[in-house]
Amino acid sequence: RLLANENLNTDWLLAISQLANLSNSNGLISGLATRLLFDTQSENNEQITTRFSQALSVGVEPTIAASWLEGFLNNSGMILLHDDVLWQIVNTWLESLHQDHFMRILPLLRRTFSSFNSPERRQLGERANQSGSSAIAAIPHELNQQRGEQMIPLLRKLLGLPL
């Protein structure tokens, strides 16, 4: 973009798209490539959401999915605060993890969320703690309030907030 050369820009976007599509690449690299596509708006939100859903689906190894999420978020939690669809996808993915899988990726998630600045972590914690938020209300299945409340201390710990 700085060189204002359309051919170079087209080649760059094609290379990033290929990296994002590689099924056998490192999750961190694929996630970052998808984030670059998102930031350049070279793909619409539906395409990015599809990539996000596929990378975080239940069939993907949790450590690869967590690495992909770390690459996509790229040290910035603001995208989760401002995009309800992406917030809901992450929320649904976390809910779908079995306890043993969740415990395996917990250090990766903590590392990802600890890279966010303090105000971002606080706002993410507040959003996760809000009952009746639009993202949570949009989840299509029945919620168990008591089970959800049990996760609040863990989420606060993940986000580095006081218990």
Side-chain angles (χ1 to χ4, degrees):
R1 285 187 281 173
L2 291 175
L3 295 174
N5 183 326
E6 189 59 37
N7 290 333
L8 290 177
N9 193 38
T10 301
D11 291 344
W12 170 246
L13 291 175
L14 179 62
I16 292 172
S17 181
Q18 289 173 341
L19 278 174
N21 287 330
L22 285 177
S23 60
N24 59 350
S25 72
N26 183 292
L28 192 65
I29 294 170
S30 294
L32 181 57
T34 303
R35 173 64 183 267
L36 291 171
L37 290 171
F38 180 82
D39 288 344
T40 60
Q41 298 177 346
S42 61
E43 292 189 347
N44 63 38
N45 281 350
E46 185 176 317
Q47 291 170 308
I48 296 296
T49 301
T50 300
R51 287 183 191 276
F52 210 96
S53 296
Q54 290 170 343
L56 301 181
S57 70
V58 176
V60 175
E61 175 68 28
T63 54
I64 294 171
S67 294
W68 189 96
L69 182 62
E70 180 180 3
F72 184 86
L73 294 176
N74 195 27
N75 299 327
S76 173
M78 292 305 286
I79 193 167
L80 288 175
L81 293 171
H82 295 290
D83 194 318
D84 288 337
V85 173
L86 294 179
W87 174 267
Q88 183 177 350
I89 291 170
V90 171
N91 187 45
T92 303
W93 172 65
L94 285 171
E95 284 183 344
S96 71
L97 294 175
H98 296 294
Q99 183 177 358
D100 59 325
H101 287 187
F102 181 77
M103 294 309 287
R104 275 194 3 225
I105 64 163
L106 187 58
L108 294 169
L109 291 174
R110 181 157 173 76
R111 183 181 69 203
T112 298
F113 284 92
S114 69
S115 69
F116 301 160
N117 63 43
S118 184
E120 287 176 334
R121 289 195 313 263
R122 181 184 46 76
Q123 289 175 0
L124 285 167
E126 289 171 359
R127 184 167 185 184
N129 200 22
Q130 288 175 352
S131 60
S133 77
S134 61
I136 294 173
I139 298 172
H141 60 286
E142 192 68 32
L143 293 178
N144 181 331
Q145 183 73 21
Q146 184 180 18
R147 185 175 177 215
E149 288 173 354
Q150 291 173 347
M151 295 303 296
I152 291 173
L154 181 60
L155 287 172
R156 293 185 70 75
K157 186 175 182 180
L158 271 174
L159 296 171
L161 300 171
L163 298 172

